[in-house]
Amino acid sequence: MTTTFYLVRHGQPDWQWAEERRFYGPASTYIPLTAEGVEQIEAAARDPRLREASLILASPYTRTMQSAQILSRRLDLPVTVEWNLHEWLYDLDMRGDLPQPGERYGMEDMSRCFVQYMESTELTGEDNCETHAAIARRVLNCLRRYDGTQKAILVACHEGVIRSITGLKKVDMAQIVPFTLPGT
């Protein structure tokens, strides 16, 4: 049996909330959904394709856990948290950026790296960012453990995760992308 993974991008995150708290780098994992983000996931939960699923896998980030919780409640499915479904790391050592004198790191720096990353420009040197290939390896290894165990599985995850394994150039908030593992 081949498993269809329904990759569901989380709803709109509340970046203003994070900016107010100066949650940058590794702390950005705590960003919750906005009210609009909640509505986006509520709407996604009504997609009839998702009724085929028997399990939800979720990235450990707050915005994906919140998205998975909404899907779980609406579809009556259990949730399993999988670390390797996390978003792209713009700081591989997970220490967060330490600003040089006169520099302001945070949203601006992360946004700069993210734009370059999303344009498929691999970052090197001081940026210390995760590559598309590294994301694809960790995500595909995670999904392989579940392939063939269920007819369909929902995966509450991130745009970088979806783009890295599908080749899509853009993934909207709460977009659902059907995916089967290569070679299955």
Side-chain angles (χ1 to χ4, degrees):
M1 163 178 44
T2 299
T3 300
T4 299
F5 294 94
Y6 289 103
L7 309 174
V8 182
R9 184 179 179 193
H10 58 77
Q12 180 184 67
D14 194 341
W15 286 103
Q16 181 177 344
W17 179 92
E19 185 71 20
E20 289 168 359
R21 288 160 183 77
R22 300 187 51 80
F23 275 22
Y24 310 124
S28 68
T29 63
Y30 299 116
I31 298 171
L33 300 179
T34 62
E36 182 178 348
V38 169
E39 290 175 20
Q40 291 166 337
I41 296 297
E42 291 278 359
R46 292 190 289 274
D47 188 305
R49 297 174 295 175
L50 303 188
R51 302 231 175 267
E52 299 175 20
S54 53
L55 174 66
I56 300 170
L57 302 177
S59 156
Y61 287 25
T62 300
R63 57 192 174 272
T64 49
M65 292 292 297
Q66 191 176 1
S67 297
Q69 180 270 330
I70 294 165
L71 293 167
S72 174
R73 180 173 38 87
R74 291 293 182 206
L75 299 167
D76 194 26
L77 296 175
V79 176
T80 297
V81 178
E82 284 287 348
W83 165 254
N84 283 324
L85 296 175
H86 65 78
E87 177 61 295
W88 159 77
L89 297 175
Y90 89 102
D91 186 7
L92 284 171
D93 59 18
M94 297 292 286
R95 292 183 308 189
D97 287 319
L98 300 175
Q100 299 298 315
E103 289 183 315
R104 178 186 177 271
Y105 277 64
M107 185 67 164
E108 293 165 3
D109 183 56
M110 186 172 167
S111 294
R112 175 189 60 78
C113 289
F114 191 68
V115 166
Q116 284 182 265
Y117 162 74
M118 290 309 239
E119 291 173 353
S120 298
T121 304
E122 297 296 355
L123 301 167
T124 59
E126 71 279 358
D127 289 314
N128 196 30
C129 297
E130 189 175 31
T131 66
H132 285 278
I135 295 170
R137 269 191 308 277
R138 71 171 156 80
V139 172
L140 292 173
N141 285 337
C142 175
L143 297 181
R144 279 187 192 104
R145 294 194 341 260
Y146 293 90
D147 192 35
T149 65
Q150 318 281 324
K151 179 181 177 186
I153 296 174
L154 306 185
V155 182
C157 57
H158 308 270
E159 183 175 23
V161 166
I162 297 170
R163 288 182 54 165
S164 292
I165 65 173
T166 66
L168 292 174
K169 298 296 181 196
K170 182 178 184 339
V171 182
D172 294 327
M173 298 293 174
Q175 184 175 338
I176 301 165
V177 178
F179 177 78
T180 55
L181 288 171
T184 60

